[in-house]
Amino acid sequence: MAIIQELSPHLADLIAAGEVVERPASVAKELIENAIDAGSTRITVEIENGGISYLRVADNGCGMSAEDAPVAFRRHATSKLRTEADLAAIGTLGFRGEALAAIASVTRIDLFTRQSGAIAGQHLRLEAGTVQTQEEAGCPEGTTIVVRDLFFNTPARMKFLKKDFTEAGYILGVVQHAALSHPEIAFSLIRDGKQVFSSDGKGKLLAPVFAVFGKELTADMLKVPRSEHSGMTVHGYIVKPHAGRPNRSMQHFFVNGRYIKSRLMQAALEEAYRNAMITGKYPSGAVFLELPLAAVDVNVHPAKTEVKFSQEKPVFEAVYIACKNALAAGDNIPRLTHQEKPAAARPREDNLTQAQQRFAVPCAQTTAEMPASAPPQICSTMPMLEDFLVAVPPRAEKTRPLGGTAAAPPILYREGKSSDGLAARQAGTSSANAAVSAIARVPAPVESASAPPEPPVLEALDTGARVIGECFQTYILAEDSDGLILIDKHAAHERMLFNQLRAQTDMPQQELLTPVIVELTGEESAAIRDQIDEVRAAGFAIDGFGEHSFAVRSAPAYLDSGDIRSVISELADKLMNSRAATPDRLDDLIHTVACKAAIKAGRASSLAELQALCDRVLHDDTVRACPHGRPTTVRLTKYELDKLFKRVNQ
């Protein structure tokens, strides 16, 4: 049996650092909280290399005396607790007395501090938790801590850190949370010599909300007026129901001025949007809860990001009622502003098949319908279903034109920003040729500029099944000799697109006449920058456009341009939450594209379109489940139907 030994102080500090100091953002959080507790009105954070090699936090708070400065770096040394009773009502952000000791044990630190009215300040230099020098120094009032070479003495921890952009994104999140929770403090973040975030510190919550959420999302926000329920106060800002996001990354919750992660408050917020926000979308906002200090325990997590409420039901009700009332009283009608559509230009000929290139059509059917001063544009891009079906050659002995005749069926087109996907129906090849001719000034995506080829005749596989209708504009109803077949058209089309995109070496793309600008959070933008090659491999020509924005200049050819922003946000969320690169990562990204590009449930479809989809699904054994794993087809045999209607013995 091993002999029990007391750990050395240095080893104990390293273990404590493992709980408190996970990454540079953990250091920034602890130092910012100390600066807030010191009564600062201005806090500046400066980082280099994602905060790994250099992190400086400067404040204009109360500062420390020559006697207190070295004591602050000892374990369990704090000015915020005196007795056991103080633990029951913690009103400060820092209180454990472990943060500075833990940080110092794995870094090199320079501390400059001067109290108000003092002639000179103090400078301390520490390495691995040990004070190397202490001397008088000229410095401004307040405290400045410079942290260098994080984990220099624990190199094994370095391999768990991510790239500089990612680590900087985490620090940005910390600064943003602090700015939201304390609008009376002016915050500034400088990364590699460039200011990337600032708040004015004038006490108006809307200012940091604008800085954190951006112009577009802030314009779609409703104010949650300060309301009281069961001795608790709730206020903040939340988005209108139509402005839902594909993930929860823009949900920020605060309790007594402390940023926390709370499933309870998250559930209350989302419950307020029930039946008001589309399924699969999540609300965004900053929700602040204030309650008696004794009603919440903030000492349940080493990083103090989780709390425990003495009574959860009143908390849920307070948040739910405040948000629900704000939604009911607010103007939830989306505001439409005039702006040029990010219409798609000609598809890239090096990636698209001839059949795909033939389906680019003008926004106006004839030149007479177009304003004389307006240059013609090409909408994005291809018919969603027919073009895909002809990409898989049907077996010659089992093919037939839809409708039983040799005439070409209607060709479906869709407008670039239409959520439904359909903009017009063309009745034959002659009208399509006339439409292409109407935009002679725009380079047409065809093989010959003088004679555009006619769209191919859409053919479907003869599987013996006959479509008899559609249920809820979601499920195809078909019959064959064995019984009734039900097909989820969105799931089936999604799987078909996924299979085709997955099989292609180069993702077919469409160039956009106007780049789509996508605004992301700091963490999301860091994930995209770090793994931008994978996003490009999924079919996007994307580059940085500002600090946390990206310009998308081309997108997968099947994707509606109106879905680009949400798809990029979803890709960022997937990249953030993936623990490591895996062989099926690209499949995951392609799946997101296929899901957005597939025909949507609830969208009206022609009988010919339904028949073509039905035949393709029944012919291809790989289209038995969508990429999510949900079944695409359900069969109800004639015998089972007869049993339901008591036509046969049970």
Side-chain angles (χ1 to χ4, degrees), residues 466-470 476-479 484-485 607 610-611:
R466 182 176 68 90
V467 172
I468 58 178
E470 185 179 14
I476 302 172
L477 304 179
E479 65 173 352
L484 182 67
I485 305 168
L607 191 62
L610 297 177
Q611 182 70 59

Side-chain angles (χ1 to χ4, degrees), residues 192-215:
D192 298 326
K194 179 181 177 182
Q195 181 172 288
V196 297
F197 178 86
S198 66
S199 62
D200 57 17
K202 295 182 179 179
K204 299 292 185 180
L205 179 58
L206 187 60
V209 165
F210 184 90
V212 172
F213 291 92
K215 177 181 178 181

Side-chain angles (χ1 to χ4, degrees), residues 213 245-253 259 262-263 266-267 269-270 280-285 521 524 569 573 576-577:
F213 291 92
R245 285 173 53 86
N247 55 56
R248 297 184 174 97
S249 63
M250 284 288 197
Q251 294 182 1
H252 305 286
F253 302 104
Y259 169 75
S262 172
R263 292 185 180 273
Q266 171 189 304
L269 172 65
E270 295 179 4
K281 299 292 185 180
Y282 301 95
S284 304
T521 66
E524 289 174 337
S569 180
D573 185 59
M576 285 170 54
N577 294 327

Side-chain angles (χ1 to χ4, degrees), residues 17 26 35 38 65 98-99 101 118 149 172 175 285 350 391 413 437 484 509 587-588 590 600 605 614 628 647:
S26 306
S65 66
E98 295 178 343
D149 304 327
L172 173 62
V175 177
D350 56 343
Y413 295 92
S437 300
L484 182 67
Q509 294 183 0
D587 283 358
D588 201 23
I590 291 175
K600 303 298 188 291
S605 304
C614 172
H628 295 283
R647 286 180 171 270

Side-chain angles (χ1 to χ4, degrees), residues 268-588:
L269 172 65
E270 295 179 4
E271 183 66 21
Y273 285 83
R274 181 183 289 273
N275 299 325
M277 182 170 285
I278 188 172
T279 302
K281 299 292 185 180
Y282 301 95
S284 304
V287 180
F288 299 82
L289 173 67
E290 297 170 5
L291 71 169
L293 298 179
V296 57
D297 184 2
V298 299
N299 194 26
V300 297
H301 191 276
K304 305 186 293 291
T305 56
E306 298 178 7
V307 299
K308 185 176 182 180
F309 299 104
S310 60
Q311 292 183 308
E312 294 187 344
K313 184 177 179 181
V315 172
F316 182 96
E317 291 176 348
V319 175
Y320 170 77
I321 292 173
C323 295
K324 190 71 172 178
N325 289 342
L327 291 172
D331 177 12
N332 294 323
I333 301 177
R335 297 183 183 275
L336 301 179
T337 57
H338 176 72
Q339 59 182 359
E340 184 181 357
K341 293 181 179 179
R346 58 179 297 180
R348 301 175 98 176
E349 297 182 5
D350 56 343
N351 287 338
L352 297 181
T353 64
Q354 294 180 9
Q356 292 166 341
Q357 295 177 21
R358 293 170 182 168
F359 283 98
V361 297
C363 294
Q365 295 303 315
T366 65
T367 52
E369 299 175 45
M370 302 171 62
S373 60
Q377 297 178 346
I378 299 178
C379 296
S380 73
T381 53
M382 297 172 292
M384 299 182 65
L385 179 59
E386 286 83 347
D387 182 45
F388 176 81
L389 292 174
V390 298
V392 181
R395 290 176 292 187
E397 70 277 13
K398 287 190 177 182
T399 62
R400 58 175 172 81
L402 287 180
T405 66
I411 305 299
L412 306 183
Y413 295 92
R414 61 181 181 143
E415 187 181 11
K417 293 199 72 173
S418 170
S419 60
D420 293 333
L422 294 180
R425 298 180 182 270
Q426 304 293 331
T429 60
S430 59
S431 61
N433 291 339
V436 173
S437 300
I439 54 166
R441 288 176 291 171
V442 178
V446 295
E447 297 174 354
S448 172
S450 59
E454 296 182 355
V457 174
L458 175 62
E459 294 184 331
L461 303 169
D462 186 0
T463 58
R466 182 176 68 90
V467 172
I468 58 178
E470 185 179 14
C471 180
F472 307 121
Q473 293 187 332
T474 302
Y475 304 105
I476 302 172
L477 304 179
E479 65 173 352
D480 62 8
S481 58
D482 294 329
L484 182 67
I485 305 168
L486 290 88
I487 299 174
D488 184 331
K489 66 180 183 181
H490 170 76
H493 192 211
E494 178 184 350
R495 182 66 192 209
M496 292 157 60
L497 287 174
F498 176 79
N499 289 348
Q500 181 175 351
L501 297 177
R502 190 182 188 190
Q504 291 174 333
T505 303
D506 296 319
M507 181 75 69
Q509 294 183 0
Q510 59 179 350
E511 293 183 359
L512 306 177
L513 290 180
T514 303
V516 175
I517 307 302
V518 183
E519 295 184 359
L520 301 173
T521 66
E523 293 88 343
E524 289 174 337
S525 65
I528 292 290
R529 290 180 190 275
D530 285 347
Q531 303 172 75
I532 198 167
D533 289 339
E534 296 190 29
V535 179
R536 288 169 176 163
F540 294 92
I542 182 172
D543 297 291
F545 189 80
E547 191 60 37
H548 304 299
S549 301
F550 293 86
V552 179
R553 294 178 171 81
S554 67
Y558 299 104
L559 190 64
D560 192 291
S561 59
D563 290 329
I564 289 177
R565 288 186 175 89
S566 61
V567 170
I568 294 297
S569 180
E570 288 186 29
L571 295 183
D573 185 59
K574 291 179 183 295
L575 295 173
M576 285 170 54
N577 294 327
S578 297
R579 298 301 180 188
T582 58
D584 62 350
R585 171 74 68 82
L586 186 57
D587 283 358
D588 201 23

Side-chain angles (χ1 to χ4, degrees), residues 7-25:
L7 296 176
S8 66
H10 177 64
L11 184 55
D13 287 341
L14 292 180
I15 295 174
E19 295 180 343
V20 177
V21 185
E22 179 184 2
R23 55 176 15 103

Side-chain angles (χ1 to χ4, degrees), residues 46 75 132 156-157 164 172 199 216 229 257 359 389 405 472 524 555 642:
E46 183 177 1
R75 291 195 67 190
Q132 304 293 323
R157 297 288 303 276
D164 292 353
L172 173 62
S199 62
E216 292 185 6
H229 177 80
F359 283 98
L389 292 174
T405 66
F472 307 121
E524 289 174 337
D642 289 340

